[in-house]
Amino acid sequence: MTGELERLARRFQGHEPGLLGASRSYAVLCPLVEGEDGLRLLFEVRSSQVSQGGEVCFPGGRMEPGETPQDCALRETEEELSIPREAVTLLGTPDFICSQRGFLLRPVLGLVSQAGLQSLRPFPAEVAEAFTVPLAFFRETPPDLRRYELVPQVPEDFPYGPVGIPRDYPWSHGWVEIPIWRYQGRAIWGMTARLVREIIR
């Protein structure tokens, strides 16, 4: 084997595939809790002191180098809600979201024990409040579905000639579907709602 082949083999043997060109990855915990009316999902509302303040989301954040989605989701949940990682039983990993902004969102499904729920204390700098919603609500209530188009903005100086394509080349467009649920005055939408839809499927 030549030196170049050896370098390629070292680079890709055992490589865990990710999103090509992704600059960052995030992980969230989709926390289930057991209530008298069955399973519920635990959500948090972002503090006004952070980006997208006031929006509903799952606990989570940016993955650190060498961190697994599970480790990140548990760490962020402990930091944001004071729920210790030993109070969460991991159940699996639903499908991830590839954002058009160039990052991966990796969900982790977990069951929070009653002791974990009792230890819940939102960190006020990041979380305004936490609340739960019955899974049955999402199953029984169709979301309000909206879509927006992803339109390519090709620069005027794109080298059509050297690339070998005409100026009226049919660049691919895309669509993003946004489910929206409204529950007791709160809107659960966007990527969070897409993860909810994946869970209830």
Side-chain angles (χ1 to χ4, degrees), residues 41-199:
L41 276 169
L42 173 64
F43 297 92
E44 59 183 42
V45 178
R46 293 176 184 272
S47 163
S48 60
Q49 302 174 52
V50 299
S51 63
Q52 300 169 316
E55 292 189 10
V56 173
C57 64
F58 288 124
R62 189 167 182 169
M63 291 174 58
E64 297 178 352
E67 196 172 41
T68 66
Q70 292 86 345
D71 286 340
C72 176
L74 292 172
R75 173 180 57 77
E76 290 283 347
T77 299
E78 190 161 15
E79 291 174 2
E80 295 174 10
L81 298 177
S82 300
I83 296 174
R85 61 180 57 219
E86 56 269 18
V88 182
T89 301
L90 297 181
L91 303 174
T93 50
D95 289 344
F96 58 79
I97 292 177
C98 174
S99 168
Q100 65 270 23
R101 288 183 289 164
F103 66 82
L104 284 177
L105 179 62
R106 311 289 295 268
V108 178
L109 189 64
L111 177 66
V112 178
S113 69
Q114 290 302 309
L117 194 57
Q118 289 171 10
S119 68
L120 189 153
R121 300 288 184 278
F123 180 54
E126 295 187 43
V127 182
E129 61 175 317
F131 66 98
T132 65
V133 181
L135 270 186
F137 167 79
F138 296 108
R139 290 199 194 96
E140 297 164 4
T141 309
D144 177 10
L145 291 178
R146 304 298 171 114
R147 301 171 78 206
Y148 66 86
E149 187 176 10
L150 300 175
V151 181
Q153 300 288 327
V154 184
E156 283 296 320
D157 62 350
F158 186 84
Y160 290 94
V163 172
I165 59 174
R167 292 194 71 84
D168 62 351
Y169 182 79
W171 297 97
S172 296
H173 291 214
W175 292 89
V176 175
E177 190 172 72
I178 307 172
I180 305 167
W181 276 284
R182 293 176 179 86
Y183 180 80
Q184 296 185 349
R186 301 179 179 95
I188 300 162
W189 70 286
M191 286 191 282
T192 300
R194 289 169 65 187
L195 294 177
V196 170
R197 189 168 57 173
E198 164 68 6
I199 291 168

Side-chain angles (χ1 to χ4, degrees), residues 7-26:
R7 286 193 297 276
L8 285 167
R10 281 197 305 271
R11 168 69 178 83
F12 292 107
Q13 283 178 355
H15 172 66
E16 173 99 17
L19 175 63
L20 184 65
S23 58
R24 58 206 186 282
S25 290
Y26 296 84

